[in-house]
Each structure stands twice: as structure tokens, then as C-alpha cells.
Amino acid sequence: MKPFEYTRPTTEAEAVEFLGETGVQTAILAGGTDLTSLMRAELASPSRVVDLKQIPSLYQVTRSEDGIQIGALVTLADLVKNPLLDGYRSLFDVVDGVRSIQVQGSGTIGGDLCHLPNCWYFRNGYGLLGQENGVSLPETGDNRYHAIFGNEGAAKFVNASRFAPALMAWGTKVRIVGPATKTGSRERSSGLTVGAEWIPLEYFYVTPKTDRQGNTILKPGHFVSHIWLPDANQISSATYEVLQMEGLDWPLATASVCLNVEAGLVHDASIVMGHVAPIPWVTEDASRWLIGRPLNEETASFAADIAVSSARPLSMNEYKVQIVRTAVKRALLKAIGQLNP
Ligand SMILES: Cc1cc2nc3c(=O)[nH]c(=O)nc-3n(C[C@H](O)[C@H](O)[C@H](O)COP(=O)(O)OP(=O)(O)OC[C@H]3O[C@@H](n4cnc5c(N)ncnc54)[C@H](O)[C@@H]3O)c2cc1C
């Protein structure tokens, strides 16, 4: 690991200052469960690490007028203990899938959202797109864990966040904090002005065309401070992850759903698939098809067929189509309490 300067800001504004200094390559540290691995492997070699853990506002979970606001440093373990989040079952399902008490205790929701891909080409130094001399290694090599949707361009990795599909199905927004700009929204924090903007989570992730583009809209000097969830009223939710191992493992595929069922018919539905594309993959067609219909084995199965109908597997990952199809069907049935163990 290369030497680096370690800073511990105590306010958001101070963090923005540490992150924004010209000519300094910075990295954000939250729980550190992944950043430390990236630094050890020299996949990240910042000259300054900005540890967010001394900023009290980033630990808060508060009720706002129309929803719940969660600080980016809230750990997985604290999330499930918070009574304000009782109605958000799909999030609990995600925490339950992370089968390590240590990771639940130190991993944060912000760190999960910003987790870089687990693609083995990226993790072995071939960049986000996994290219060697301009040739795509996932295209020509072992691509069994790669994308089956959204893989037409250069990016073949899958988004690593476990929470993003569930949060996106809920219609979550993320608050991004950075240097104040003349045109953007500005806030005062400890005597300084910072830029702060709420963005729908579905606009947070990008499918990069080049290695330098990154896989989120976060610019250098910016960080995620909070997420906002709408009220859980009338909504049933669930996440179904397909894991290869019983222990700590990344899902092969996942599906999260939020449903509003009235008088036995689906009134509103949102279905998002995870670990199948460079971004969490929303299936609007399947959600639309369910509206006005009863939800049962047959309709859940049909909706799952629609959800995977546009999949384009690579040479070694056709199996993921069936896996995510099953995840969608089971997440739908789980949300209404009809999934038999
Ligand atoms: C050995 C090991 C194995 C693991 N295996 C699994 C596994 O199989 N499945 C699983 O789900 N999890 C696994 N994890 C946990 C995984 O790292 C989690 O995703 C965790 O939630 C990341 O959170 P963190 O706070 O530790 O992130 P960090 O490591 O601190 O940060 C992760 C990334 O996000 C950036 N970042 C962090 N916070 C912010 C923010 N607020 N704004 C902007 N950028 C930010 C960091 O710069 C970094 O690039 C494992 C961890 C370890 C140590």
C-alpha cells in the first residue's frame, strides 16, 4: 500500500474542503471494508484518505415530512435495529443476505451504494471495463458472473451494490454533497457554503463508456451524505437474492420489489433486478403488466418472463437469465407472503 495522508473531518463542510483540494488525489473512507482491499491491491492509490466517521450528521436516521432520511454512515446492523425502518422489509432482506456479523457491523449503506464492481478483471488491474490492449476481457474470456442486460457497450461488469435494487424500487433519492457552485443548490454548514443536491437513485449510476468515467455520477470532491426513502404506507416489499454459498458471498442475481395491492389487485408495482447489469436494472414492462391483475404463482411467473425477455447473455452466463427470472418471481410472491420456503 502506498503512503497516504489520513484526515478526519468533523463536519460535511470540512469533508468537502479536504476532498476538494486541487492536485490532491483523495479517497473516501466509510466502514473501510472494501476501500482497504482496493488500497492494498493498489487499485486505489490516494494521496489523502478522508475518513467520514467523525461526522455526527451522517449517522442519523430521522423522520421527515414525507419519508425517512438515513445517514450514509449507518451500518447494516444499525439499519435493522431502527424502529423507523420497520416497514421496509426489502432492506431487511438485504441485510439478512450479508451473512457476516463483522460486515454487518462495519459496512455502511453509503459504502454499499458506492461499492466498486467485483468484476475479477477490474479487481486484477484491468480497469473498470476490463480491457487489455483495447480488447474486452469479459467479452472474450470468462464472463460467467458478468452482465446479461445493458452489456451492449464496453461495460460488462455488474453493479455490486446490494441495497441499490431495493432502494431504487422504493423510489429513493440520494443527497450528494460537494463544493458549492454558482448555479446548484447551496447549504450553510459550520460557517461554510457547500453544494448539496438530492438526486433520484436511478440517475446516480452510469454505464461507463471509458475507464475514467466511473460507474456513478459522483465527481471528485463529492460524496453521498444521506438517502431518503418515501413513507412505507400501503407498500409491501421484498428482496430475493440468489447466493451460491450459505456464508458471505455476493449474489449471482437479485430482485427487489415494492407493491401496492388493493382489493386483491396490484395497484402499483416496481421491480428492480440486481447483479445483472452495470446499473441496477429496472423492468418497467413487467411492473406495468401486473397492474390491475391479482398476484399469484401464475401472474408472478408471467411477470418474471417479461422481466427477462430482453436479456442478452454473454458466452458463459446464460444460466443467469433463469436465476434472475426465479428471483423476480420469488420476490413478488415473498412481498405478499405467498412464497413457500
Ligand atoms: C473480506 C470481505 C468480504 C466481503 N464480502 C462481501 C460479500 O461477499 N458480500 C457483500 O455484500 N459484502 C461483502 N463485503 C462488504 C462490502 O465491502 C460492503 O459492500 C460494505 O457495505 C461496504 O461498506 P463500507 O462502509 O465498508 O465501504 P468502504 O470500503 O468504506 O467504501 C466502499 C467504496 O465506497 C466509497 N464510499 C464509501 N462511502 C462513501 C460515501 N458516503 N460517499 C461516496 N463514496 C463512498 C469508498 O471510497 C469506496 O470506494 C465484504 C467485506 C470484506 C472485508
Side-chain angles (χ1 to χ4, degrees):
M1 192 187 288
K2 294 201 175 130
F4 57 89
E5 181 194 359
Y6 173 72
T7 58
R8 289 203 297 177
T10 53
T11 63
E12 289 182 4
E14 222 174 60
V16 169
E17 275 200 289
F18 282 132
L19 288 167
E21 199 175 314
T22 319
V24 181
Q25 210 183 347
T26 56
I28 296 160
L29 178 76
T33 60
D34 194 46
L35 184 71
T36 44
S37 313
L38 291 168
M39 287 174 67
R40 265 199 304 269
E42 295 192 359
L43 294 169
S45 301
S47 49
R48 175 183 293 166
V49 169
V50 181
D51 184 350
L52 301 180
K53 285 199 290 295
Q54 302 300 313
I55 307 177
S57 61
L58 303 188
Y59 289 93
Q60 287 167 3
V61 180
T62 50
R63 173 169 286 289
S64 68
E65 215 175 89
D66 49 358
I68 307 285
Q69 205 166 298
I70 306 173
L73 283 191
V74 173
T75 62
L76 277 52
D78 285 342
L79 205 67
V80 287
K81 278 189 247 152
N82 197 303
L84 286 178
L85 296 169
D86 275 353
Y88 301 88
R89 177 185 171 177
S90 57
L91 303 187
F92 290 19
D93 290 342
V94 175
V95 178
D96 198 37
V98 180
R99 308 254 165 77
S100 152
I101 293 168
Q102 289 91 336
V103 171
Q104 288 184 7
S106 52
T108 64
I109 190 150
D112 173 82
L113 285 178
C114 300
H115 200 286
L116 285 164
N118 290 318
C119 162
W120 47 33
Y121 299 109
F122 169 65
R123 298 274 164 175
N124 280 292
Y126 292 98
L128 207 46
L129 303 181
Q131 291 180 341
E132 191 177 38
N133 303 324
V135 175
S136 164
L137 298 174
E139 178 95 57
T140 51
D142 192 332
N143 50 35
R144 76 186 93 157
Y145 299 124
H146 287 77
I148 56 170
F149 294 98
N151 56 9
E152 299 81 4
K156 314 282 183 207
F157 63 82
V158 298
N159 184 282
S161 171
R162 280 177 98 142
F163 281 102
L167 292 171
M168 221 181 256
W170 275 105
T172 295
K173 291 184 191 164
V174 286
R175 180 171 175 263
I176 297 177
V177 177
T181 58
K182 281 193 185 128
T183 48
S185 100
R186 298 146 76 91
E187 287 179 19
R188 295 287 286 173
S189 162
S190 47
L192 293 163
T193 306
V194 296
E197 206 140 12
W198 284 98
I199 308 276
L201 186 57
E202 58 186 291
Y203 301 136
F204 180 68
Y205 294 106
V206 291
T207 302
K209 293 191 173 66
T210 67
D211 259 336
R212 295 166 60 97
Q213 204 181 344
N215 69 328
T216 69
I217 59 166
L218 280 182
K219 295 194 211 92
H222 291 69
F223 65 94
V224 173
S225 70
H226 293 85
I227 63 170
W228 171 87
L229 283 162
D231 277 331
N233 296 340
Q234 318 289 325
I235 306 291
S236 329
S237 70
T239 295
Y240 192 93
E241 294 184 330
V242 181
L243 295 153
Q244 224 166 352
M245 293 193 294
E246 274 299 314
L248 183 60
D249 194 10
W250 295 97
L252 291 169
T254 189
S256 286
V257 303
C258 281
L259 298 170
N260 182 353
V261 182
E262 286 175 17
L265 301 178
V266 177
H267 189 66
D268 203 1
S270 176
I271 306 171
V272 185
M273 296 177 275
H275 305 271
V276 287
I279 56 175
W281 201 253
V282 179
T283 163
E284 279 173 9
D285 290 349
S287 305
R288 239 191 325 267
W289 183 84
L290 277 172
I291 291 170
R293 291 189 157 87
L295 189 53
N296 51 40
E297 277 272 335
E298 200 188 334
T299 54
S301 195
F302 202 81
D305 284 339
I306 297 173
V308 298
S309 58
S310 63
R312 279 174 31 112
L314 301 168
S315 58
M316 294 174 74
N317 66 6
E318 196 161 354
Y319 74 98
K320 283 185 74 166
V321 178
Q322 177 57 19
I323 280 181
V324 76
R325 184 195 170 280
T326 303
V328 170
K329 178 181 173 189
R330 292 190 182 175
L332 286 166
L333 294 174
K334 191 175 178 184
I336 54 162
Q338 281 188 23
L339 181 67
N340 298 320

